[in-house]
């Protein structure tokens, strides 16, 4: 059993320790240090690891024993929410407001105390990954063109790793997730990594898999052929009414 926290080497391309060596307390904590360079970031996600730390803490890297995962055919919206969204006049796009979505996700939630894990350094790292075509945002706009919510994350192979979502208007993040799932399913991508579950994602149908099951799926998906680059044209622009097909209760 691992009883110590690994410290990463300075070389961003250096390997991470095996995820099976993550601590039991704090659950899933594997390593500290390193940097937030694109090379390190992508290496981490391809290894089943993600960064999560607060301002003033060292960079901490995690691989929990239970992984939150959405099947792209398994995002659930209630009939009531689906009807409301379908009549909202909202539209969904990708990669047209990445920085704004990250900023929205970093803002404190109602009733939330303390800081955010999406620190200024993390925001800068995500912006660079987006510039390189590895990080993507899914955005929801109201009828007047105002951004009302969305989500962002990284992609490689045939896997999308979601990092955060937010809603300025109720239901916007759910719409972003549902439309992302629909588009990914159409591309033949079966899963969305959601890292750790929370009450909101549980209501939307997230599953919790043993780490070994997630790592097996990751190994099968991460090297499938895909191209880095903007999703703006590939994703398209979709009205919320398109939820009527393919999203089940």
């Amino acid at each position: 059993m691992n009883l110590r926290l690994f410290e990463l080497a300075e070389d961003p391309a250096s390997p991470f320790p095996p995820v099976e060596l993550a601590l039991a307390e704090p659950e899933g904590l594997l390593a500290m240090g390193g940097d937030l360079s694109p090379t390190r970031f992508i290496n981490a996600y391809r290894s089943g690891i993600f960064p999560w730390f607060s301002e003033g803490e060292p960079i901490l890297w995690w691989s929990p024993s239970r992984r939150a995962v959405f099947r792209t055919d398994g995002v659930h919206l209630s009939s009531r929410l689906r009807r409301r969204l379908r009549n909202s006049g909202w539209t969904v796009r990708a990669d047209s407001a990445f920085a704004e979505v990250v900023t929205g996700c970093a803002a404190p939630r109602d009733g939330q105390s303390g800081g955010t894990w999406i620190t200024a350094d993390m925001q800068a790292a995500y912006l660079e990954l987006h510039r390189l075509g590895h990080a993507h945002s899914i955005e929801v706009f109201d009828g007047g063109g105002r951004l009302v919510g969305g989500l962002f994350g990284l992609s490689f192979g045939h896997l999308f790793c979601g990092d955060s979502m937010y809603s300025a208007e109720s239901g916007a993040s759910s719409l972003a997730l549902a439309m992302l799932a629909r588009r990914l399913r159409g591309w033949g991508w079966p899963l969305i990594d959601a890292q750790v579950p929370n009450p909101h994602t549980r209501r939307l149908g997230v599953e919790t898999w043993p780490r070994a099951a997630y790592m097996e799926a990751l190994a099968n998906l991460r090297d499938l052929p895909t191209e880095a680059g903007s999703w703006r044209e590939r994703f398209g622009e979709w009205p919320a009414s398109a939820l009527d097909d393919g999203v089940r209760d």
Side-chain angles (χ1 to χ4, degrees), residues 7-99:
E7 187 166 356
L8 298 182
E10 292 185 6
D11 180 5
S14 61
F16 282 84
V19 295
E20 295 80 10
L21 297 180
L23 297 176
E25 182 61 37
E27 207 284 313
L29 181 57
L30 177 65
M32 64 178 290
D35 55 36
L36 297 174
S37 66
T39 297
R40 181 99 63 180
F41 231 110
I42 294 168
N43 185 19
Y45 279 66
R46 287 177 54 85
S47 302
I49 299 162
F50 57 87
W52 186 25
F53 61 99
S54 299
E55 193 72 52
E57 293 181 340
I59 301 173
L60 301 175
W61 302 89
W62 303 76
S63 181
S65 62
R66 304 286 302 186
R67 194 75 168 217
V69 178
F70 284 102
R71 299 181 191 270
T72 56
D73 64 354
V75 173
H76 304 281
L77 300 184
S78 69
S79 296
R80 181 179 180 183
L81 176 59
R82 188 170 60 191
R83 283 194 301 270
R84 180 167 66 81
L85 292 175
R86 213 168 46 228
N87 296 322
S88 66
W90 292 352
T91 58
V92 184
R93 300 201 294 265
D95 286 349
S96 65
F98 183 86

Side-chain angles (χ1 to χ4, degrees), residues 1 29 45 51 74 81 91 97 107 137 146-147 155 159 163 190 199 211 218 237:
M1 179 181 297
L29 181 57
Y45 279 66
L81 176 59
T91 58
S137 57
R146 181 174 68 98
L147 181 68
S155 74
L159 180 67
D163 281 294
R211 182 194 289 126
L218 174 64
E237 183 170 330

Side-chain angles (χ1 to χ4, degrees), residues 58-210:
I59 301 173
L60 301 175
W61 302 89
W62 303 76
S63 181
S65 62
R66 304 286 302 186
R67 194 75 168 217
V69 178
F70 284 102
R71 299 181 191 270
T72 56
D73 64 354
V75 173
H76 304 281
L77 300 184
S78 69
S79 296
R80 181 179 180 183
L81 176 59
R82 188 170 60 191
R83 283 194 301 270
R84 180 167 66 81
L85 292 175
R86 213 168 46 228
N87 296 322
S88 66
W90 292 352
T91 58
V92 184
R93 300 201 294 265
D95 286 349
S96 65
F98 183 86
E100 292 87 345
V101 169
V102 173
T103 298
C105 289
R109 308 296 198 264
D110 291 341
Q112 175 180 309
S113 61
T116 174
W117 67 268
I118 310 176
T119 64
D121 287 345
M122 286 286 278
Q123 291 183 52
Y126 284 123
L127 287 170
E128 178 63 8
L129 286 161
H130 176 64
R131 187 187 71 81
L132 295 172
H134 301 298
H136 306 284
S137 57
I138 309 301
E139 308 120 8
V140 180
F141 296 89
D142 69 11
R146 181 174 68 98
L147 181 68
V148 294
L151 61 84
F152 75 92
L154 271 65
S155 74
F156 49 87
H158 286 192
L159 180 67
F160 184 86
C161 298
D163 281 294
S164 187
M165 60 173 63
Y166 88 103
S167 294
E169 298 288 346
S170 176
S173 65
S174 300
L175 175 59
L177 177 65
M179 197 61 71
L180 170 65
R182 178 178 178 177
R183 296 299 290 138
L184 294 180
R185 187 168 65 252
W187 300 347
W189 296 28
L191 300 177
I192 299 170
D193 169 30
Q195 298 180 351
V196 294
N198 60 48
H200 180 56
T201 57
R202 289 188 188 279
R203 287 192 296 270
L204 294 173
V206 82
E207 302 176 10
T208 53
W209 291 10

Side-chain angles (χ1 to χ4, degrees), residues 218-229:
L218 174 64
N220 291 330
L221 296 172
R222 64 189 173 196
D223 294 322
L224 294 177
T226 192
E227 292 185 7

